[in-house]
Amino acid sequence: MTESNSKKTNAVKSRFQLIPIILLLSLPAGPAGAQLEGLLKAQSPNGKSEKKSSVPIGQQLEIWKAEVDADLANLEKLTQAGGLPPNAGNPEVEGRKRTLERTQLAIGRHFDALKSISENGLALDAARKSLKEWTGYGEKSPTSILVVDELNNRKQAIIEKKASDQSSLEIYHRTLNGWLEDSKKLETKISEAQKAHDAPSADKRSTLWNLTVEKERQRLLFIQSSALQQTIAAIKTGIQTHDAELALLNQKITEAEKTASLREEDITQIKAASSDRQKALRTETEALRSRQNKAASDESKALEDLQKIQASPNPDPALVELAEITLEAARARVSSIQQMITSIESFSQIEAFIPEAYQHRLVLLDSGSTPRERQESIAALQSLHQRLTAWDVVANNSLKAITAALTNEQVRSNALPADDPRITFSNRIRTTLWERQALLQRLIQSISIQLSTLDSWLALYLSTHQTPFHERLIGSLGTVRDAVKRIWNFPVNQYEEVIEKDGQRIITLRDISLGTVLIGIVLFIIAYCIAANISKRIQRALVRRKFIGENQARTLRNWLMLIVAFLLALATLNWLSIPLTIFAFLAGALAIGVGFGTQTIIRNFISGIILLFERKVRVGDTIEVDGVVGVVSEINTRSSIVRGFNGIENLIPNSLFLENRVVNWTLHNRNIRREIRLGVTYGAPTQEVIRILTEAADRHGLVLKDPAPIATLANFGDNSLDFILYFWIEQNEKTSAIVVESDLRIMIEKRLTEAGISVPFPQRDVHLEMSKPLQISLTR
C-alpha cells in the first residue's frame, strides 16, 4: 500500500513538472521587436489600420486581455505547485507578475485612448459644423458687454487648454521615441534568448523561462506604445477642435463688440450676483465657525486627556505618544479651520471689489467721462491689480506650506505600522490639510481669473483708446503730481509726541515727511543767506570806521556765522515742531564717527575755539610755527592761514598752535629789533663810524626813536673792524624790514664814502660766500 502511494505521488510530481513547459510553449510570442515601429506606423490616427487587417485593434486588445489574465492565473498555479525552473526565484517571479499587471493596466489605457479618439473626432466634426453654419447674431445681437466678457473668458480657457495639450504632445513624442529605442534593445535580448534555448546542451526549462519573460516585456512595450500613439492622435484631434472653437469665438466676439456696451443695468446685475456670492460665502463661514467651536472643544478634551495621562504614576509612553498626536491633530484642525475662514474672508473681499472694478470700467467705456475721471479709473484698476497680485503671492506661499506639511505627514504615516492607532490621527491631520488645500486652490483660481480680467480690460482700453494730446498732457501732469505728492509725504522718520490731558500722558507717533525736511532746509538756507548778508554789511562798516582790521573782522564773521547757523538750525526744528530727540540716532553715529574718523577734525575745531578765546595768536601777528615764519591772515574753524614774507600762504592746522612751540613776535607789541653788520678797514675812526651808523638810523622815518638805535664795535675781524647797528621798527602791513634795511645800507654807504672810510673787500672764498644764504637776525 505504501509502495503504491509512493508511485502515485511521483506520477503527480512528474505531471506538475511538465506544466510550466506546456504553459510557456502556449504563450504568444507577440510581434518581433523590429516590427514594433512598422506596426505603429501602420495604424491610422483614428485607431484603424490603413491596410485591411483580419483582427481590429479593439478585438486584439480583448485577445491580449484574456491571454494576460490566463498568464497571471497560470503563474500563480506554477508558484503554488513549486514547478518553477531553477533560475526563477522570488524576484524573477515577482518581476514577471508586475509585467503582466502593468500589461493589464496598459490595455485599459489603450481602450480609454480609443474612446478619446472617437469622442474627439465627434467634437471636431461638431466644432467645424458650428463654425461653418454660424453667420452672425442677426437681430439677436447682444447689447451687454458681459456677453463679450463671457466669450473672452471661454476663449482664454480654450487657449490655455490648447497650450497644455501642445506641451503634453511634445512630452508624449519624446516618450514614444524612447520606447521605440527600447524595442530594438528587447529584440536583441529575445534573439540571444532564442539562441540559448535552441542550443543542444541548454536547460530547456530555464532558457524557455527567459525567452518568455522577454517576449512578455515586448508585448507590454508594444501595447504601451500603441496606446500612447492613440493618445497622441486624440490630442492632435483635440487641438484641431480648439482651433475651430477659437475661430468661432473670434467671430462671435468681433460681431458682439460692435453693438455691446456696459450699462447701469449690467452694473446692477453684477452687484446682485456679487451680493449673492458673498451671502453664500458668509453661510460657508458660519458653518466653518460652528466646526471651529467643536474642534476647539475636541482640542480642550485632548489636552485634558494628555494631562491626565502625564499626571498618572508611571505613564505608558505609548499612551502618552498617542495622546500627543491626538492633541496635535485637534490643534491642526482648529488652526486649519481658522485659516480657511481667513481665506473665505479674502474671497468675500475679492467679490466686493468686482462691482467697483466694473464701475471703473464703465467710466473708461463712457465717452462722456472726463480725462481726469478716466485717469483715476485706470489708477484704481491698477491699484486693484497690485492688491490681487499681492494676495496671489501670499496664497501661493500658503499653498506651498500646506504641501510641505502634507509631505511631512505622509512621511510620518509611512513610518508607522499598519495596525498602529496613530495612523488614524495622522489621516485626520492630512484630511484637514487637504480641505484647506482645496480652499486655497479655489482662492488662487479666483484671483487668477480676476487678474486675467483686469489685464484684458487695461490692455484693450490702452490699445484702442486714442487719447488726445491735451488729455495725455493732463494725465501726465496728474501722474507727476501724484508722484511728487507721494514723494513729498514719504515718511523719513518717526518720533513720539507726548500729550498730557486730564492728568494722563498720551503718546502718539508722528511722521516726519520728506516735504517737511525740504521745507526746513529751504527755510534754513534763506535765513542763513539773510544773516550772511547782514554780517557782511556789519563787517564792512567796522573796517571802514577803523574799529577793527580786515583780517580780524573776517575771522570774527566766520565764527559768528557758525553760531548763527547753529541757532538757525534749532529755530527751524522748533518752528517745524520737530523735537531734537529724533536726532538721538545721529548723535550715536556722530560719536562713532568722532571716535574713528573725525578725531583730527574735532581736535582742530576745538583748538580753533581755544585760540579764539585765548587770543595768544591773533590775525596780523607775526609768528613762527612748525618751521613757517609769517603773518597770520585768517583763523578759521579748522585751520589758520599764515602768509610768509615771500607772499606764500600756508594752511596751518589749529592744533599745531597748541601742541607745538610757537614764537609770536607781536604778542604784546609789534616792535621788532633788527640789526645790520658792517666791517671797515683798520685805522678808521671808530667813534666816527658809530656816529654815522646812529645818525643814519635816526634819519630814517620808520626806525623807532624809542628805544633809540645803538651802534657798537662788535669784533676785531681778520681784515676789518666789525660794527653792528641795532634798531627797532614796528611790524605792520606798511612796514617792510627788508626795505628799511636796504635804505639804511644805502645811507651808511654814502656817509662812509663822504668821510673817506673804506670798507675792505672780504678775504674769503667768493664761491663759499655766495653759496651761504642771507641770514637776518630777528630778536625782540
Side-chain angles (χ1 to χ4, degrees), residues 313-334:
N314 299 324
D316 187 358
L319 292 178
V320 172
E321 187 175 1
L322 181 61
E324 288 177 348
I325 194 173
T326 304
L327 178 61
E328 181 183 353
R331 286 176 174 173
R333 188 164 185 79
V334 172

Side-chain angles (χ1 to χ4, degrees), residues 349 353 382-392 451:
Q349 292 183 35
F353 288 149
Q382 291 174 341
S383 176
L384 177 58
H385 189 282
Q386 293 176 355
R387 296 180 66 179
L388 288 174
T389 302
W391 269 347
D392 186 55
L451 285 174

